[in-house]
Amino acid sequence: MKILIVGAGIAGPTLAYWLRRTGHEPVIVERAPRLRRGGYAVDFWGSGFQVAERMGLAPRLHEEGYRFLEAREVSGSGRRIAHFDPLRLIDGYGGGYVTILRSDLSAAIWDALQGEVETVFGDTVRSLHDDGDRVLVEFAHGSPREFDLVVGADGLHSLVRSLGFGPEPEFERDLGITVAAFDLEGYRPRDELVAVTHTVVGALTLRIGLRDDSTMFCFMFRHEGETPPDDLMAQQQLLRDRLRDVGWEVPTILEQMPRARTFFMDRASQILLPSWSRGRIALIGDAAAAPSLLAGQGSALAMVEAYVLACALHEADGDHRAAFAAYQSRLQSVVRTKQDAAIGMGSAFAPRNRAQVLLRNVALGLMNVPLIANLAIGRSLRDPIVLPPAPGS
Ligand SMILES: Cc1cc2nc3c(=O)[nH]c(=O)nc-3n(C[C@H](O)[C@H](O)[C@H](O)COP(=O)(O)OP(=O)(O)OC[C@H]3O[C@@H](n4cnc5c(N)ncnc54)[C@H](O)[C@@H]3O)c2cc1C
């Protein structure tokens, strides 16, 4: 089948890879003029890592990624007040684990396509018309084309979802937290391979040192239903207004923010759709079921969803209805469990009151004790997905 994939992030190229392996003809359309570079880092592990292994990506991910040796909470004066070994924690749940720039993960998947998939950068869909036999697609720039299927892999604010399923507010669960991330060159101090956090009531700041003398900062703070502005200057001002009094290195970091190479701000939200497909149009990754960054597993799930959809299409031998139903029934309850577990993590990332800050820091210190870690966050770390055998192998 000729299958249009909208979005060249994590899910899109993964799906293209497995569709090609099973004899289909994927075409990717990506709104950005080229693959996005830089940005924030993701913890990548669990079944998603297994999919990456099946694509032969593990050596590259280990080479380009990081394995942090310590997660450290510091006080306003920079004193270590709690810490644990993240490798021991995550490795205990099986599978590979690496922290990697989202854009490096995306590029590694992209390179696995070896230039064999037609890709149109700098364009997007404008309308989708499913006549039951084909989907007629109009593009913002290119000429209209027909496809057997269309798959939206265009992220949290998916246009395919808006066009084919309904407006975003119908499906969005806003977690009440705004997230911002940026990177600076030459920032000091660095604390190599330590993820340093400073948490106060309503806000958290994370600092991690990356290669090439780059440091990434991530901020989370509670919002009262307001949407972050679109304009970069206004976003940076919002960050200053909300975080300038939280202490630690934050005033210095905010002072240096104007020289950030990339800047990201969005609200943390989840997508809950009753059905991940409609007719000949399906959704994968954040577009279908974003668990939010609080789950720490969105990129892994994006890869799993892409892989399982490709397997289901292969098994159904061209019957897209059967394939879409199988894809959703295999994954929906696991994904929903992870979404629900992520909500519980909100108090760890942006505690509501002083008691939650104290509880969080005590819990962090106890993460080195496997039994307690299992009780506290085992539900969000467990990954009960059994991947079907690789299609076409
Ligand atoms: C700060 C932060 C930290 C995170 N930390 C983690 C973590 O630790 N672990 C983890 O697993 N996940 C994490 N995530 C979540 C993770 O990044 C996402 O779940 C993952 O990227 C989803 O992959 P995707 O392919 O569905 O979407 P994306 O990676 O968002 O890719 C979507 C692609 O579609 C393109 N696109 C968008 N709209 C259109 C359009 N209209 N037409 C064409 N193309 C379009 C975009 O340019 C992009 O290339 C984090 C997210 C954030 C914001």
Side-chain angles (χ1 to χ4, degrees), residues 7 10-11 30-31 36 40 43 102 124 264 286 296-299:
I10 309 293
E30 163 61 48
R31 187 175 54 186
R36 282 155 46 186
Y40 53 87
D43 293 327
R102 178 206 156 279
T124 185
F264 169 91
D286 276 4
Q297 233 186 329
S299 47

